[in-house]
Amino acid sequence: MQLNGLNDSEIPALQQQYGPNSFQLKDQRNLLHILWDVVREPMFLLLLIAATLYFILGQSSEGLLMLVAMGIITAISIFQDLRSTKALEALEHYTAPMVKVIRNGKEKALPSEELVPGDLLVLEEGDKIPADGLFISGNDFTVNESIITGESFPVAKQSTEKENTVFQGTTVNTGKAYAKVIATGNNTELGKLGKSVSSYSSTTTLLQQQVNKHVKRLAWFGISAFILIWLVNYLKTGLVVESFLLGLTLAMAAIPEEIPVAFSSFMALGAYQMSRIGIISRQPQTIENLGAVTVICLDKTGTITENKMSVNILYDYRRNHSFAPAQQHEGSTVLGYALLASELEPYDAMEIAIHEAFKDHPNAFPYATLPQTGEYPLGGKPPMMTHVYGDGPKKIIAAKGAAERVFRVCRLDEAQKRMLNEIVNQQASKGLRMLAVASAVYEGEKLPISQDDFEWQLEGLIGLLDPPKKNVRAVFEQFYEAKIGIKILTGDYPETVSNIAAQAGVRNPEKFITGDAIMKLSEAELTDTVQQYNIFARMFPDAKLRVVNNLKASGNIVAMTGDGVNDAPALKAADIGIAMGKRGTELARQVADLVVTDDNLERLVEAIRQGRKIFVNLKKSVRYIISIHIPIILVAALPLLLGWMYTNIFSPVHIIFLELIMGPTCSIFFEREPVEDNLMQLPPRTSTAGLFTREELWVSIIQGLVITAGVMGLYWFSMKRGDEIGVTRALVFSTLLTGNIFLTFVNRSFTEHFMQTIKFRNSLAKWILPSSVLLLALMHLIPSVRTIFGFAPISMSDFLLCTVTAIVSIAWYELYKLIRYGDKPLAIQTDQ
C-alpha cells in the first residue's frame, strides 16, 4: 500500500485552522507570576516594613534607600528567575515528544505539537499515541487504553469500524501500524476529558530535602533573634518603633533567603548545561540526584552493546548441522521460517538482521511470497511469536522465540532438549543471542486460540551477534573508579550476558541468577543475592522491579536504564530512570528522569560528574552563607546583649547592602566554580548523610566565629580609643566587607590552599576584588553616600587596620588546609 500523507503546502492552513496539538492544564509562568513571588519573599517584606518605619520616624533618606534596595532585590530576583525559566523552557523544548509521520510520501520525525488532522502517523511498540486517529494498516497492533477506559488489558486494533480508532495518550503495546489523525489538542477524547497525558511525576530529591531542612532551622533562628533583640531594646529604651527596626535588622541578617535562590539557579543552569551535551533532564533536580547514585542497573541490548545485530550462525535441527549465513545449505528452511516469523517491515534489531541475512538467498525458500493472513503477538514467558500465511485451506505457520519456550511447544523429549540446550549454551557463551525457529501446517477452518496449540516442528536455531560498544569498558572503569556498582538486568541467556559483561569489564561476570530464581527468594535472601550478583539474566518486568526496589530498600540511590515498554515499571521505580533517546520507546522516554539523546553511555559519566559538581559547589555556597552570616548576626546582637557603648552598630541599610553582595556571590560565583580533580574518585554520598558532615559544619561555624572575633576586637578597640560611633561603624563595616572578599576566595576549596585555587578558572573571579574596592571607595569618599551609611571619615592607617584584621580572621584556615591536606599538585580546572 502506497501511503503519501499530507503535502507540505497543506500544513500551514491546517495549523491555522486547528492550532497546535497541545492543551494547557496550567497557566504559563510570566513576569507577573515572578513579581508576585518576589513580593512574597521574606527579605522583600522585611525591606518594605523597614522602609515604612524609616518614613514614620522621619528618616526619609534611609527610607528612600530601602526603596532603592527593594528595586535592586526585585531586579536581581527577576534576572535569576528569568535565567532559570529560560533554561527550563529550553529543557521543555528538548524533552518535547517526537512523532513519526508520512508527509510528501516520506517518513519524517517532528514534534507532536506540529501534528494536524490528516497527518499519517507511524506507530510502533512503546509509542505514546500523540493524537486521535483511524487505524489504516498494521501488524500485531494492540494498544493499552487504560488512561481512557481504566482497563489495563491491551486492545487489538483493526480496520473494522468499531476497532479502528486510536486515542491520544494511549500506549502502543505491540506491533506497528499506520493511522490517520482525526483530532488534535483539545478536540481529542483525552483533551475533552481534561486528563494529563504525561506519565512523569517529579519527586523531591535528597539534596532538596537537606537544603530545606537547613533553611527552616536558620529561619527559625532569625525569628527568635528578632524577638529577642526587639524585646531587649524595648526594655532598655522604651521605644517601640526604633526597637522594632533594630530587631528587624537582625532578622534580615539571619534569614538565609540566598540559599533557595542559589539552589534553584544551580539546578536549572546545571540541567541546561547537560542538555547541551546530550543529557536531557525531565526536572533540573535530577542532575544533582544523579551525583548521589551508588548503583546503576543496565539492560544489555543497545546500552552496552551496539544494538546492530547480524546473524552469525544457523543450526538446522533436521540435519543436525551448524553453518554461517553465507553458507546457506540448499534445502535448509531455518532462515526462511525465521523470516516468516518476523514483521514484513521490521523495526526490531533482531528482525532487521534476519531480513538482511535472507537477502543473500531470496530464492532459497518457497513460502517467502505467501500473503500473511494472521498472527499471534509476542507473548508468554519466555516469549514467542507466530505468523500465519496463506489464504487457502492449507496454511503455513512460522514461529520464533526463546529457545526453551519453542522446545516446549515442539514437545521434544528430554534427551533432545539436553542436546539442543548444550548447543544454545555453547553459542550463548560466545556472546550470541539465541532464538529457536519452528514451523507447522494447519488445515482447519478456525485457528487455535493459543499459538502453543499448533503441531509444531522444530526447524532449528539462529545465533545473532551484538558486540559491546567500543567505549563501554572505559565507561565502566570510570563508574567503578567513582565507587558506583554496576548491575546488568537483561532478558538474555545467562551465558550470552556473561560473555558480553566480561568483555565490557563488569566484575564477577561468571556469577549469574535468573528472573525466575529472583521471584522465589524471600526479601532477606534477595538482599544477600543482590549484593553478591552483578548479572541478572532472563529477567522480566516483575523481576527487574523487585531487584530495583530491593536495592533502594538497602539504602542505595539507584539509576536504571531501559528502552522498552517492559522497562517502564523499573524506570519509574528507580531513583533515576534513564531512557535511551535513539532506540528507546516513547513510553520509556516519558517515564524516565533522564534521556540520553545519542544513546552514548559515556554521557552518564559526565552527568554524574556534573551532579557531584553541583552538590560540592552548593555546599561551598551554603557554607559561605553560614560563615558570613554568623559575624553579621553576632556583631548586630552582642554589643546590645553585652551593654557596650555603641549597642546598635548596624541598621537595615548596612544589612541589605551586605545581602546585595552575598546573594550574587553564592548563587552566581560559586555556581561557576570548577571542582577539585579527584571528584570522580570519591565515593558517592549516602542517602542517610546530611548536607554536611559534623566536621564541615564546625569548620564553617568556626570560620564565622573567628571573623566575629576579629570584627568585635576592632569594634572594642575603636570604642576604647574614644572614636565616635561613625568611625567605629565605618571600621566594623569595612572589616566585614573586606573579610567577605577573602572568605569568598578561601572557600573556593576546603582542601586546596589559595596558591592552587587561584589557578581555578572562573570568569567572575577577576571582578570581585576591583568591584569590592570600588564599593568601599564610594562609601568612604562620597559624603552623601557616607552619610546614608552613617560613616565618619577614617584614615588610611585605619583602613589598613581593617584589611589586616580581615586577612588574619580568614587566613588561619589557609594554614589549616596546608597542615591538614598538604601541598598537593592540582590539575588546572575550567568553569563549565
Side-chain angles (χ1 to χ4, degrees):
M1 180 189 301
Q2 181 65 35
L3 299 172
N4 294 316
L6 296 173
N7 295 319
D8 286 341
S9 59
E10 300 174 84
I11 303 302
L14 290 167
Q15 287 178 335
Q16 182 69 30
Q17 180 180 353
Y18 295 102
N21 178 37
S22 62
F23 56 93
Q24 299 292 334
L25 294 179
K26 59 181 180 181
D27 295 332
Q28 294 296 307
R29 185 170 175 80
N30 56 36
L31 187 59
L32 288 176
H33 292 110
I34 296 172
L35 284 171
W36 176 239
D37 287 344
V38 170
V39 300
R40 291 187 299 167
E41 285 292 323
M43 183 56 68
F44 187 93
L45 295 174
L46 291 175
L47 284 171
L48 182 60
I49 295 169
T52 304
L53 292 176
Y54 274 129
F55 284 119
I56 291 173
L57 294 170
Q59 301 175 21
S60 56
S61 59
E62 285 83 355
L64 288 172
L65 186 61
M66 287 294 99
L67 293 178
V68 171
M70 288 166 62
I72 296 173
I73 288 283
T74 302
I76 291 174
S77 298
I78 289 174
F79 168 74
Q80 293 275 42
D81 203 305
L82 287 176
R83 190 172 69 151
S84 298
T85 300
K86 285 182 180 179
L88 293 177
E89 286 174 353
L91 285 179
E92 287 178 6
H93 171 72
Y94 280 119
T95 57
M98 300 294 288
V99 296
K100 291 180 184 176
V101 299
I102 295 176
R103 287 184 180 174
N104 306 307
K106 296 180 180 179
E107 188 175 302
K108 64 182 294 188
L110 50 80
S112 63
E113 271 198 355
E114 297 180 15
L115 283 178
V116 294
D119 264 324
L120 282 181
L121 291 171
V122 182
L123 301 172
E124 298 177 344
E125 181 179 312
D127 284 353
K128 181 164 284 186
I129 297 175
D132 289 357
L134 293 177
F135 175 92
I136 295 175
S137 65
N139 294 312
D140 183 23
F141 191 67
T142 62
V143 177
N144 184 325
E145 296 183 342
S146 58
I147 192 170
I148 298 288
T149 64
E151 297 290 336
S152 59
F153 298 105
V155 178
K157 296 295 178 180
Q158 304 174 49
S159 54
T160 55
E161 186 174 342
K162 292 185 178 181
E163 298 173 323
N164 66 343
T165 306
V166 295
F167 300 103
Q168 182 190 43
T170 59
T171 305
V172 178
N173 193 61
T174 60
K176 178 177 179 179
Y178 298 95
K180 183 177 181 179
V181 175
I182 58 173
T184 58
N186 287 334
N187 296 319
T188 63
E189 289 299 313
L190 195 67
K192 293 172 184 176
L193 290 171
K195 293 184 179 179
S196 169
V197 297
S198 176
S199 299
Y200 183 77
S201 58
S202 62
T203 57
T204 303
T205 66
L206 174 63
L207 183 56
Q208 275 179 296
Q209 295 167 10
Q210 293 171 339
V211 166
N212 290 340
K213 181 175 71 174
H214 283 278
V215 169
K216 286 178 181 177
R217 286 177 177 174
L218 290 171
W220 277 112
F221 174 77
I223 293 169
S224 303
F226 162 69
I227 295 171
L228 176 64
I229 296 302
W230 183 15
L231 183 61
V232 172
N233 258 296
Y234 174 70
L235 292 174
K236 287 190 174 184
T237 66
L239 301 173
V240 177
V241 177
E242 287 82 349
S243 299
F244 188 89
L245 190 61
L246 292 169
L248 210 59
T249 301
L250 194 60
M252 291 168 65
I255 293 177
E257 83 289 343
E258 305 98 337
I259 296 177
V261 173
F263 181 84
S264 300
S265 179
F266 274 46
M267 297 305 132
L269 292 172
Y272 178 64
Q273 287 164 4
M274 289 308 302
S275 71
R276 297 172 66 183
I277 65 166
I279 296 284
I280 309 303
S281 171
R282 297 300 302 277
Q283 64 160 340
Q285 291 82 359
T286 300
I287 295 294
E288 170 274 320
N289 220 20
L290 192 57
V293 164
T294 56
V295 176
I296 184 165
C297 299
L298 304 160
D299 60 338
K300 183 181 78 70
T301 307
T303 302
I304 68 174
T305 59
E306 295 286 357
N307 201 31
K308 295 176 182 176
M309 291 193 175
S310 59
V311 177
N312 184 268
I313 194 167
L314 298 164
Y315 170 74
D316 190 315
Y317 176 66
R318 299 178 193 275
R319 302 177 180 213
N320 191 25
H321 182 68
S322 298
F323 54 93
Q327 303 168 333
Q328 171 77 10
H329 283 216
E330 184 178 346
S332 177
T333 55
V334 180
L335 190 58
Y337 278 111
L339 180 79
L340 293 188
S342 303
E343 300 294 347
L344 297 174
E345 296 181 21
Y347 52 89
D348 176 80
M350 288 187 292
E351 294 190 345
I352 292 171
I354 291 169
H355 275 259
E356 288 295 321
F358 189 80
K359 282 181 182 178
D360 298 331
H361 311 282
N363 301 316
F365 190 62
Y367 302 129
T369 58
L370 287 177
Q372 183 179 335
T373 55
E375 62 186 321
Y376 295 83
L378 186 71
K381 195 179 80 172
M384 66 177 281
M385 62 184 295
T386 300
H387 285 173
V388 180
Y389 290 85
D391 49 13
K394 181 180 178 181
K395 294 179 173 57
I396 302 300
I397 318 297
K400 72 177 190 307
E404 55 266 49
R405 171 76 177 280
V406 176
F407 296 165
R408 187 171 72 233
V409 300
C410 289
R411 299 175 179 82
L412 302 176
D413 60 36
E414 291 303 315
Q416 292 170 316
K417 288 180 184 178
R418 276 196 302 273
M419 182 270 290
L420 289 165
N421 279 325
E422 286 180 7
I423 297 172
V424 169
N425 293 339
Q426 182 184 30
Q427 297 301 328
S429 66
K430 299 175 184 178
L432 299 184
R433 175 176 287 191
M434 300 300 294
L435 294 176
V437 180
S439 68
V441 176
Y442 189 76
E443 298 185 0
E445 287 287 331
K446 189 176 180 181
L447 293 174
I449 295 174
S450 170
Q451 60 184 331
D452 291 12
D453 295 335
F454 291 104
E455 294 293 328
W456 292 110
Q457 300 296 317
L458 182 65
E459 294 293 332
L461 301 167
I462 291 184
L464 298 111
L465 179 64
D466 185 14
K469 292 176 179 175
K470 292 181 175 61
N471 68 341
V472 71
R473 192 177 189 92
V475 170
F476 282 7
E477 286 174 0
Q478 291 180 75
F479 284 150
Y480 283 130
E481 194 174 47
K483 314 300 186 291
I484 297 171
I486 300 172
K487 308 286 184 186
I488 307 296
L489 278 64
T490 178
D492 281 342
Y493 278 97
E495 293 79 8
T496 302
V497 68
S498 287
N499 178 278
I500 297 294
Q503 293 181 60
V506 179
R507 293 172 181 172
N508 301 321
E510 69 285 348
K511 291 181 63 177
F512 57 79
I513 188 169
T514 65
D516 284 332
I518 287 291
M519 298 306 288
K520 294 175 183 176
L521 298 174
S522 67
E523 282 302 317
E525 292 171 330
L526 181 61
T527 299
D528 291 338
T529 300
V530 168
Q531 289 176 353
Q532 293 176 27
Y533 289 83
N534 294 327
I535 307 300
F536 299 81
R538 278 308 196 215
M539 296 290 281
F540 41 90
D542 288 345
K544 289 183 180 180
L545 185 61
R546 194 167 182 222
V547 169
V548 168
N549 285 334
N550 184 271
L551 283 167
K552 289 174 63 179
S554 299
N556 290 289
I557 302 294
V558 182
M560 170 80 191
T561 68
D563 60 359
V565 174
N566 62 348
D567 293 319
L571 284 174
K572 206 163 187 177
D575 294 291
I576 301 161
I578 304 167
M580 299 295 125
K582 283 186 176 179
R583 66 184 177 85
T585 62
E586 186 61 36
L587 178 61
R589 289 193 292 268
Q590 288 298 311
V591 302
D593 300 286
L594 293 177
V595 179
V596 183
T597 55
D598 61 358
D599 295 4
N600 185 353
L601 200 61
E602 195 169 5
R603 305 291 185 208
L604 293 183
V605 177
E606 177 57 30
I608 290 168
R609 197 192 78 85
Q610 182 72 14
R612 292 187 177 188
K613 175 193 168 189
I614 286 173
F615 178 72
V616 168
N617 282 347
L618 187 62
K619 277 178 65 171
K620 290 177 184 177
S621 176
V622 176
R623 291 179 70 178
Y624 157 80
I625 292 168
I626 291 171
S627 295
I628 198 61
H629 269 75
I630 287 172
I632 296 173
I633 294 167
L634 293 180
V635 170
L638 285 178
L640 175 65
L641 300 175
L642 296 174
W644 283 13
M645 182 190 307
Y646 304 140
T647 55
N648 298 304
I649 203 74
F650 288 153
S651 70
V653 171
H654 303 101
I655 301 301
I656 193 57
F657 186 82
L658 289 169
E659 292 290 339
L660 289 174
I661 294 173
M662 292 186 298
T665 300
C666 72
S667 62
I668 299 176
F669 178 82
F670 282 112
E671 187 272 328
R672 295 193 179 194
E673 274 292 274
V675 288
E676 288 80 357
D677 57 341
N678 66 340
L679 183 69
M680 290 299 286
Q681 284 79 53
L682 300 173
R685 69 185 189 278
T686 63
S687 59
T688 56
L691 181 58
F692 309 114
T693 65
R694 181 173 295 181
E695 180 186 356
E696 289 171 339
L697 185 57
W698 272 111
V699 163
S700 296
I701 291 171
I702 292 170
Q703 277 186 302
L705 292 175
V706 174
I707 297 170
T708 303
V711 174
M712 291 295 289
L714 192 59
Y715 193 154
W716 181 85
F717 169 77
S718 178
M719 287 190 303
K720 290 299 181 183
R721 193 173 65 177
D723 293 338
E724 61 175 292
I725 189 170
V727 172
T728 303
R729 181 178 288 125
L731 291 174
V732 168
F733 190 82
S734 298
T735 304
L736 198 53
L737 185 57
T738 308
N740 176 73
I741 299 168
F742 293 123
L743 181 68
T744 302
F745 283 98
V746 166
N747 280 20
R748 295 183 77 186
S749 173
F750 289 92
T751 56
E752 309 288 351
H753 62 76
F754 178 77
M755 296 308 296
Q756 291 177 324
T757 58
I758 199 69
K759 301 173 188 176
F760 284 179
R761 296 178 193 169
N762 184 329
S763 57
L764 294 179
K766 59 187 177 184
W767 297 105
I768 287 182
L769 188 59
S771 60
S772 299
V773 170
L774 178 61
L775 288 171
L776 282 167
L778 290 173
M779 287 186 294
H780 286 286
L781 300 178
I782 299 177
S784 58
V785 177
R786 196 166 59 223
T787 301
I788 290 173
F789 280 90
F791 292 168
I794 62 172
S795 65
M796 180 56 70
S797 60
D798 278 346
F799 186 76
L800 288 174
L801 180 61
C802 295
T803 304
V804 170
T805 303
I807 291 173
V808 171
S809 301
I810 304 294
W812 69 271
Y813 191 64
E814 285 296 310
L815 183 61
Y816 171 84
K817 287 190 287 186
L818 194 59
I819 295 170
R820 175 75 188 272
Y821 300 105
D823 187 13
K824 298 179 295 183
L826 178 70
I828 296 176
Q829 307 277 328
T830 57
D831 53 341
Q832 299 297 311

